[in-house]
Amino acid sequence: MIAPDIPQNEKQRMLSLLSLGLLDTEQEDDFDYITKLAAYICKTPVALVTLVDEDRQWFKSKVGMALCETSRDSSFCAHAILTPDEILEIPDATKDVRFIDNPLTKMEDPVIFYAGVPLRTTDGMVMGSLCVIDHKPNKLSKEQRAALITLAKQVERLFELRLVNNQLEQTKASLTKHNTLLKDFAGTVSHDLKMPLANLILTSDILKKKYTEALDESGVNYLGYLKKSSLSMSNYITNILAHYESTAYDREDAHEFMFNDMLEDLVDLLNINFECEFHFPEVNIELRCNRSALDQIFLNLIGNSIKYNDKEHTIIHIDVIEQDNHFEFSIKDNGRGIEEEKLEGIFTLFSTAGHLDKNGEKGHGIGLSTVEKLVHNLGGTISVSSVLGEYTKFTFTVAKS
């Protein structure tokens, strides 16, 4: 017996093999379908997808073989990876100098005939082979060789998909880690800023009350600007926290409640002090979903419809349609509308339409991004339509719990 040589690029090959993450994993149907088809086409009792590790060959998929692995020194596939561009076919191993006295040829079901197609990754590294084995001398036909090569290409596709999936998992893990760090950072910074801002607001009120008579008009205005800016910054921080905490809402945390009753509670909470007309659904249907999340969504959307309405008389229509698997909600106002070119990015964090609200302040571009996250967490989607000067309409769905 002649032990197989070690490829010159062994170090790089092993790095590629480990990056696949396939060694010592469970059997998978996608690989097993290929080995079963290979055995059937080649009319052999054994078919294997092998991976040549540092000191062993391990079988990712096997048909007709009880062993899970063998030593690399006795491996036929370790010979096959030395000729990456061609099939290694051994008609009779007992007559081949490389395999005479090989332990695999002396088993109860010996490896006598072997044909293996090297399996490569996209970077050209050979991982192992797709091979077929017989317990007696044999030879593949031209058609069988072509079919085995084709099946090997499918195994290589599975390798490629595995690498892509591994990269996506790593990216997802990295994004999750960074998002957690960002959330923690936002929470820490926001907490540290809220108290000084509260002190600024309180101090400006005290100064204004105590020293109004000693200050001229400009001085009083400056104190007003100080309080207004502090309140704006406080609202901004509150919105940032709400955005990062929106993922905490779970669609499975469901409650039963009447939709119109919820809307009436929200309108009372908003404490609207100017003319505003609401049109609720004619039928007060019962919902079962996460009410806290739905409250947050409607508070934001109704609040926007009120704040950015340029009409003397604000009109808001709210409706709901029950479907088989979800509820579809809509809220439409008679406000100023949104420019068509700004609709596409309206849910992007920190993106704004650029309009001032009724108090002459510009939005921070956080609320609608938070709404979109909440809707997605509830298993739904959200869209917007608008005609400038006439209306804006938001339509979103929530999966039934």
Side-chain angles (χ1 to χ4, degrees):
M1 184 187 85
I2 299 176
D5 293 333
I6 301 298
Q8 292 183 348
N9 61 353
E10 180 68 2
K11 185 177 180 179
Q12 292 85 351
R13 192 192 71 82
M14 282 301 303
L15 289 174
S16 293
L17 177 60
L18 294 174
S19 70
L20 279 177
L22 283 173
L23 288 172
D24 300 309
T25 56
E26 297 292 330
Q27 285 188 249
E28 298 177 41
D29 288 342
D30 289 339
F31 289 96
D32 292 345
Y33 294 149
I34 293 174
T35 49
K36 289 176 183 177
L37 191 54
Y40 175 78
I41 292 173
C42 296
K43 296 181 171 34
T44 58
V46 179
L48 307 168
V49 170
T50 69
L51 300 175
V52 179
D53 198 358
E54 186 174 7
D55 55 6
R56 61 171 177 158
Q57 66 169 354
W58 178 77
F59 307 137
K60 172 59 183 173
S61 177
K62 55 183 182 175
V63 171
M65 175 69 76
L67 297 174
C68 295
E69 61 181 56
T70 69
S71 73
R72 182 167 177 172
D73 286 343
S74 62
S75 166
F76 282 61
C77 294
H79 285 276
I81 67 172
L82 300 176
T83 54
D85 299 321
E86 57 186 68
I87 294 180
L88 175 63
E89 185 170 0
I90 312 297
D92 187 346
T94 63
K95 297 179 180 180
D96 190 304
V97 66
R98 292 169 294 182
F99 304 105
I100 294 174
D101 294 329
N102 187 302
L104 299 180
T105 66
K106 299 180 180 299
M107 299 189 303
E108 182 178 351
D109 293 318
V111 178
I112 303 300
F113 167 77
Y114 172 92
V117 182
L119 299 170
R120 288 184 285 192
T121 55
T122 52
D123 60 1
M125 297 293 124
V126 185
M127 301 293 95
S129 76
L130 171 64
C131 65
V132 291
I133 292 171
D134 205 341
H135 308 310
K136 64 183 189 305
N138 201 343
K139 183 176 177 61
L140 296 183
S141 68
K142 181 179 179 181
E143 292 75 17
Q144 288 172 329
R145 287 172 66 92
L148 194 61
I149 291 172
T150 299
L151 290 174
K153 294 295 182 185
Q154 295 308 306
V155 177
E156 291 176 348
R157 289 288 181 87
L158 292 178
F159 286 171
E160 184 177 353
L161 289 174
R162 183 79 174 208
L163 283 171
V164 171
N165 185 64
N166 290 347
Q167 291 168 358
L168 289 174
E169 289 294 333
Q170 290 172 6
T171 301
K172 179 183 177 182
S174 177
L175 288 174
T176 300
K177 178 182 178 181
H178 282 84
N179 190 56
T180 300
L181 290 173
L182 186 59
K183 181 179 177 180
D184 292 343
F185 175 76
T188 301
V189 172
S190 298
H191 180 270
D192 290 345
L193 287 176
K194 291 279 275 187
M195 185 58 69
L197 283 171
N199 290 336
L200 275 174
I201 294 168
L202 181 61
T203 301
S204 63
D205 283 339
I206 293 173
L207 289 173
K208 186 175 181 180
K209 182 177 181 180
K210 188 172 182 179
Y211 297 105
T212 296
E213 295 182 359
L215 294 172
D216 58 13
E217 184 178 353
S218 295
V220 173
N221 289 338
Y222 286 143
L223 287 175
Y225 298 150
L226 177 63
K227 181 178 180 179
K228 184 177 180 181
S229 297
S230 299
L231 286 170
S232 177
M233 179 60 74
S234 180
N235 289 334
Y236 180 77
I237 292 170
T238 299
N239 289 335
I240 283 285
L241 284 173
H243 177 79
Y244 284 106
E245 290 172 356
S246 61
T247 55
Y249 290 109
D250 186 354
R251 61 182 286 188
E252 300 304 323
D253 184 16
H255 311 278
E256 293 178 354
F257 56 94
M258 305 306 293
F259 182 50
N260 287 14
D261 296 351
M262 182 200 83
L263 293 177
E264 289 174 1
D265 291 342
L266 294 180
V267 171
D268 290 342
L269 184 63
L270 287 168
N271 192 25
I272 303 166
N273 55 9
F274 50 86
E275 191 172 356
C276 185
E277 177 182 336
F278 284 92
H279 295 270
F280 293 166
E282 293 184 2
V283 179
N284 187 14
I285 71 170
E286 184 178 62
L287 304 180
R288 179 174 174 78
C289 64
N290 189 314
R291 173 163 180 172
S292 296
L294 199 62
D295 279 348
Q296 191 78 10
I297 292 168
F298 272 103
L299 275 173
N300 195 297
L301 294 179
I302 294 173
N304 282 351
S305 292
I306 295 171
K307 285 194 300 183
Y308 295 102
N309 200 297
D310 59 347
K311 309 297 190 300
E312 291 185 8
H313 184 72
T314 299
I315 302 175
I316 299 175
H317 293 267
I318 299 175
D319 204 0
V320 59
I321 301 173
E322 184 174 4
Q323 307 286 3
D324 291 339
N325 300 315
H326 63 270
F327 297 102
E328 180 180 292
F329 303 94
S330 64
I331 173 169
K332 180 179 179 181
D333 62 51
N334 66 332
R336 71 182 70 199
I338 303 170
E339 292 84 349
E340 184 176 355
E341 64 271 15
K342 295 181 179 178
L343 289 175
E344 185 176 351
I346 200 70
F347 297 108
T348 303
L349 186 62
F350 304 126
S351 173
T352 69
H355 301 149
L356 301 179
D357 64 17
K358 288 182 179 292
N359 297 319
E361 297 180 358
K362 186 178 178 181
H364 298 123
I366 301 173
L368 289 179
S369 175
T370 303
V371 165
E372 185 183 44
K373 286 182 66 177
L374 287 168
V375 169
H376 286 173
N377 289 345
L378 296 181
T381 59
I382 186 168
S383 61
V384 59
S385 61
S386 184
V387 173
L388 200 60
E390 296 185 18
Y391 74 88
T392 297
K393 181 179 181 180
F394 288 91
T395 303
F396 66 95
T397 59
V398 169
K400 288 184 175 179
S401 299

